[in-house]
Amino acid sequence: MRYSWPLLVGALLASRAASQQIWDIWQTTWDRSMLFTHFQPSPDPINFVSPGTIGAADIVVDDTDVYQTVWGFGSALTDSSALLLSNLKTQNPSNYWALLDYLFNATDGANSAGFTYLRVPLGASDFSASLYSFDDVSGDTSLSDFNIDNVPDYVFTTIYDIQSINSYLRVHVLPWSPPAWMKTSGTMDGGDLNTDYINTYADYLLKCLQGFQIKNIVPFAISIQNEPENSDSTYPSCYMPVSVEAQIGTALRTLMDNNGFSGVRLIGYEHNWDDAGGYPVQLMEQAESAFAGVAFHCYAGDVQNQSDFYNAYPTKEIYFTECSGTIGSDWWSDIKWYMDNLFITGITYHSQSGLMWNLALNGSGLPILPGTDSCGGPGCRGVVQINTNGTWSVNQEFYAMGQASKAILPRDVNGPWGQRIGVSVGGDMNWALIVGAYVTGRVSSTDWLRYSLVVLNWADNTNGNWNPQPVQTTIEFRDMQATYTFPVGVTTLWWYAVNESSSAASVDSGTNFIHLNTKAAGI
């Protein structure tokens, strides 16, 4: 069949309009009436139609501006977290597997957060039963006594169980301290690295990678030192100047490339926002070729500081890898903060991941390393609470990350991950919404792309008085407009649209043939 160009244009526009329907919504509301709840608009999907008057807020999505890929959300599998999960598995296996599924199942549309990023300490941290490294034999510069099995066996067992649910799992490994004998302090608790052992420590970190590989876990990334500007005498930590981390990084990168780990990312810094324009920038100045990028934590500074690093090294990757909840804090206030600083805005400021601290703790923030002053006051809260009676519950960290995770998971098995795209908010109530927008590619270039919004409505008071206000909002996309009223809370929604670059390529200008996909994939 032949088409004239007017008919061709009409067919393209008709296909575009038909595809733009919001089919799936995930929602967590301030009053907990919705808790990471999935639903579909009823009785019909929400259509994109010809533009009209804008709503109280107006979200404008620009998919011509495409930014970084987001590799996932998650937390740290500390020894404490792995121990609690292992105990739950023994005590109540069905609850254990239900929890892992709820956390990690990344199957498209599953009733799960689909967490895909796991940070794993190399040796003891402040959430371990005791101090240990993988080679505690003093003076063993040949590392002949290195033993990856020094880690409690339940750590690897738990990782295997998670991998059985989520084949995408990205494991990011890093030490809280070098072995005590490599340090001037002679202990893993505080102090700094003896610079005579720079090359030995690089060899040690390579052996860590090889040890994980022997355990059939090839890390996605490795960092050299957790929080290198911190030295605490009550738990594993190590002050590490920029020049020392740069030297270790240069040596380790060469070792990695020469030993089959060229695809593993080497990530620098791993510390707070407040020095984003200092330490990590200086690290790149001294060893740019060694590092894929840097990672940030939330305990000092502001998320906008990530731009201090990005502006200096825009081609380097940025990861956000640690923030902890505090026991007793306000549920809804925490979710607002997390979305505005980590899981929407953190991605807006160039991050490719969003992680919390402990994956699982008990209701008192335990177990913790004996004698540590870490997580003082009321204590740290895990993403999950494991109870002694074999039950579990998820905390506000789960809901915040889960809403963000749903926007970036692959639509197809082993397909592309979500990428951040351009978005702005107008209208009289633009202040009420914090918005992230994402596009997820497809395995086939002719399948329709999935678009996602993650929206925080934090309009919960008027002049200091509690007054939650749903915001009637228009969504502008490719010269079409949809309308949705966002309740106070976090909403993630999806729609599909034709891959315009694919459609353009499918038009044969010589014969005026057009091949249009007439069904939105997955709908």
Side-chain angles (χ1 to χ4, degrees):
M1 180 180 296
R2 295 180 181 273
Y3 289 87
S4 67
W5 280 112
L7 286 175
L8 171 61
V9 173
L12 284 168
L13 291 176
S15 175
R16 169 187 284 191
S19 67
Q20 292 172 205
Q21 297 176 316
I22 295 170
W23 285 80
D24 290 277
I25 299 174
W26 298 80
Q27 202 160 79
T28 297
T29 54
W30 73 271
D31 60 0
R32 311 192 203 193
S33 60
M34 294 281 201
L35 288 171
F36 192 54
T37 302
H38 172 258
F39 60 94
Q40 294 185 315
S42 179
D44 299 306
I46 299 169
N47 291 308
F48 282 81
V49 298
S50 297
T53 303
I54 68 169
D58 186 52
I59 297 172
V60 180
V61 179
D62 183 359
D63 65 334
T64 65
D65 288 336
V66 182
Y67 302 96
Q68 78 275 20
T69 297
V70 183
W71 294 122
F73 299 85
S75 55
L77 185 71
T78 58
D79 291 357
S80 295
S81 294
L83 175 62
L84 289 175
L85 288 166
S86 178
N87 290 343
L88 177 63
K89 183 179 181 181
T90 300
Q91 185 177 8
N92 193 326
S94 62
N95 275 3
Y96 171 78
W97 287 108
L99 172 58
L100 289 195
D101 188 82
Y102 195 43
L103 294 172
F104 295 104
N105 186 346
T107 303
D108 181 62
N111 183 31
S112 164
F115 296 151
T116 55
Y117 206 117
L118 200 66
R119 192 162 169 256
V120 180
L122 295 173
S125 72
D126 40 335
F127 283 84
S128 296
S130 61
L131 296 177
Y132 71 93
S133 74
F134 294 123
D135 189 341
D136 290 319
V137 178
S138 181
D140 182 26
T141 55
S142 66
L143 301 176
S144 57
D145 289 296
F146 183 96
N147 188 357
I148 198 68
D149 288 323
N150 286 358
V151 68
D153 58 3
Y154 46 74
V155 171
F156 285 119
T157 299
T158 304
I159 295 174
Y160 296 149
D161 287 346
I162 296 170
Q163 286 180 321
S164 73
I165 290 171
N166 186 333
S167 62
Y168 300 125
L169 188 70
R170 295 180 170 89
V171 175
H172 184 155
V173 298
L174 74 165
W176 264 238
S177 171
W181 57 270
M182 293 188 192
K183 299 174 70 177
T184 58
S185 59
T187 174
M188 292 182 71
D189 291 343
D192 53 7
L193 180 74
N194 183 333
T195 54
D196 291 341
Y197 291 120
I198 283 176
N199 289 326
T200 303
Y201 192 43
D203 291 337
Y204 174 89
L205 293 174
L206 174 66
K207 282 187 171 290
C208 289
L209 288 174
Q210 293 171 327
F212 270 70
Q213 184 180 54
I214 289 169
K215 295 292 185 178
N216 295 312
I217 301 166
V218 178
F220 171 77
I222 183 171
S223 298
I224 289 172
Q225 174 60 47
N226 178 66
E227 300 189 345
E229 295 182 300
N230 175 45
S231 172
D232 190 303
S233 62
T234 71
Y235 66 87
S237 55
C238 180
Y239 175 74
M240 186 172 286
V242 174
S243 61
V244 174
E245 183 163 322
Q247 292 177 70
I248 297 169
T250 299
L252 178 58
R253 183 72 266 173
T254 299
L255 290 170
M256 291 165 64
D257 291 345
N258 292 339
N259 287 275
F261 295 101
S262 60
V264 177
R265 288 161 165 81
L266 180 56
I267 305 301
Y269 188 51
E270 284 279 356
H271 212 159
N272 291 326
W273 287 319
D274 61 342
D275 198 21
Y279 192 117
V281 170
Q282 295 164 27
L283 185 63
M284 295 304 108
E285 290 171 347
Q286 297 182 32
E288 179 180 359
S289 62
F291 291 91
V294 300
F296 291 102
H297 298 176
C298 77
Y299 307 115
D302 184 273
V303 64
Q304 297 180 21
N305 296 143
Q306 290 179 181
S307 285
D308 297 341
F309 176 79
Y310 177 83
N311 291 337
Y313 287 92
T315 64
K316 290 298 181 180
E317 297 175 341
I318 291 175
Y319 293 84
F320 183 85
T321 54
E322 187 179 317
C323 195
S324 183
T326 301
I327 292 174
S329 58
D330 180 70
W331 188 88
W332 171 234
S333 295
D334 286 344
I335 287 181
K336 288 191 293 183
W337 193 90
Y338 292 146
M339 302 316 295
D340 186 41
N341 290 273
L342 308 183
F343 307 129
I344 296 178
T345 307
I347 307 301
T348 301
Y349 283 99
H350 320 293
S351 179
Q352 296 188 257
S353 67
L355 278 68
M356 296 301 295
W357 183 202
N358 286 274
L359 175 61
L361 293 172
N362 70 17
S364 300
L366 302 173
I368 198 166
L369 182 73
T372 181
D373 65 5
S374 177
C375 290
C380 286
R381 181 178 54 239
V383 175
V384 177
Q385 178 175 312
I386 307 292
N387 304 312
T388 56
N389 63 358
T391 62
W392 55 266
S393 59
V394 294
N395 292 316
Q396 47 264 56
E397 292 75 20
F398 168 87
Y399 296 111
M401 285 195 297
Q403 292 284 160
S405 179
K406 275 299 178 189
I408 56 87
L409 294 174
R411 169 60 182 83
D412 303 318
V413 175
N414 297 320
W417 289 71
Q419 292 177 277
R420 180 173 69 91
I421 57 177
V423 68
S424 59
V425 185
D428 292 340
M429 290 194 68
N430 66 325
W431 57 269
L433 304 184
I434 306 297
V435 183
Y438 309 90
V439 60
T440 302
R442 306 301 301 277
V443 168
S444 171
S445 62
T446 59
D447 284 344
W448 290 0
L449 307 176
R450 181 163 70 197
Y451 289 86
S452 306
L453 295 180
V454 183
V455 180
L456 167 67
N457 174 6
W458 58 359
D460 56 17
N461 74 86
T462 303
N463 297 324
N465 297 313
W466 184 253
N467 181 28
Q469 300 177 64
V471 178
Q472 192 256 358
T473 305
T474 41
I475 302 168
E476 315 290 342
F477 177 74
R478 294 186 182 175
D479 302 319
M480 306 292 286
Q481 184 184 84
T483 301
Y484 183 74
T485 298
F486 289 95
V488 173
V490 187
T491 301
T492 304
L493 51 80
W494 295 341
W495 71 91
Y496 291 84
V498 68
N499 185 340
E500 291 194 328
S501 60
S502 174
S503 294
S506 70
V507 177
D508 184 332
S509 60
T511 60
N512 284 347
F513 278 114
I514 180 169
H515 308 284
L516 286 176
N517 184 343
T518 57
K519 182 177 183 297
I523 297 178

